[in-house]
Amino acid sequence: MTVDFDQYINREQTSCVKFDGRQQYFGTSDVLPLWVADMDFAVPECVTHALQTRINHPVFGYTLYPESLYQAVVDWFVRRHKWKIEREWIVFAPGVVPSLFAAVQAFTKEGEGVIVQSPVYFPFFSAVTTNHRTLFNNPLREVNGRYEIDFEHLEDCAKQGASLLLLCTPHNPVGRVWREDELLRLLDISRRYNLTILSDDIHCDLVYSGVTHTMLGRLSQPGDKIVTTVAPNKSFNIPGLGLSALIIPNLAERNAMKQVFERLHVGNYNPLSMVAFEAAYRDGDEWLDALMIYLEQTRDIAADFIARELPQIKLIKPEATYLLWLDCRALGLNDSALRDFFVKGCKLGMNPGSVFGEGGSGFMRMNIGCRRSVIMEALVSIRENIIHQS
Ligand SMILES: Cc1ncc(COP(=O)(O)O)c(C=O)c1O
């Protein structure tokens, strides 16, 4: 399938956060938007077509999750991840972040400990703190430009009574795809300390060549307390539609998650979300494969440019996700000066690393889910501004 990912699509004035939220977030709209994790690409035709077909029916009443939607999830995980799941394990939820919050409520009491591994996508922290749980941080270890889990410290956290781990797999923002042996070690710790794991696999389909993502849930055995959350939102660029799926083999954990949502009477019964979700998982394979080829070329071109032209910046080359984690510490700027350098100097709107918690200071996160020419423009702008600065 050929898809023109270089096609220009004007997203301004669509109330989209990434473009129309720039003034609010950066204090100016005069920055290239390389922040919020959505892409500037048109969604696959199968998704547009499914939405159009649904819209042709002029009634948008209360809607059930159709069997075909469950089937699309079951088939996707067998086909793409060799994970055979049962239809009964699936629970639909409004989004992945709501499920992080729900898991904290379902599996811990106020004051109890929840483990996160920073630097990490910021709602992982707020899911714990806004629910008045105790945050146990197990910072990732940076070893020669690559991040690893600190298993000894993780075990200490569990020993000290933390009962839930919020796992990001693949990991945003550092782009690691956890290897099977690393996941097995996590499972071993979870079994020995009765730890529940919320496995956020939202980026599981955005994995580059030469790397295999293993679903933690696929490695689990009956009795393991694993809750997996997935969605086509990132992979197919439909996060605004806000529907995700939980995959929970164990009945107790499944009921606990359902109860949290039921208490708030929260579901997502939006018929448009459902048809887009189903079409993406049912018919989106070829588009997704083409997307990954495009993203990988952008990642590699950016990596070459950074290595050659930006000696002060080190790229932590991602194994997955369209997010580049840029180590800017050699620029010698504090976080506020670093942000000014990129916003005011380079005119780039990226996420400052400091928002991802301990270990994020001195880093920036660049979203490459856009036309390659935009990324080249951004990199050239950084080069010009580093020259001016020195
Ligand atoms: C790890 C991770 N989880 C969840 C989300 C957002 O999920 P949702 O929009 O479905 O709440 C993101 C978005 O960047 C993410 O990176």
Side-chain angles (χ1 to χ4, degrees), residues 18-30:
K18 197 172 178 187
F19 285 74
D20 299 327
R22 282 176 294 183
Q23 181 68 40
Q24 198 181 331
Y25 191 77
F26 298 105
T28 172
S29 294
D30 189 18

Side-chain angles (χ1 to χ4, degrees), residues 140-159:
L140 297 176
R141 287 190 316 164
E142 197 197 332
V143 185
N144 301 327
R146 188 177 161 79
Y147 284 84
E148 290 180 1
I149 293 174
D150 184 341
F151 287 100
E152 285 77 29
H153 188 254
L154 178 69
E155 194 159 343
D156 283 345
C157 295
K159 253 184 221 157

Side-chain angles (χ1 to χ4, degrees), residues 37 95-98 121 124 168 172 200 202-203 233-234 239 244 365:
V96 167
V97 171
Y121 179 51
F124 278 58
C168 195
N172 169 14
D200 175 349
I202 194 170
H203 296 283
N233 299 348
K234 297 285 160 198
S244 67
R365 192 189 75 174

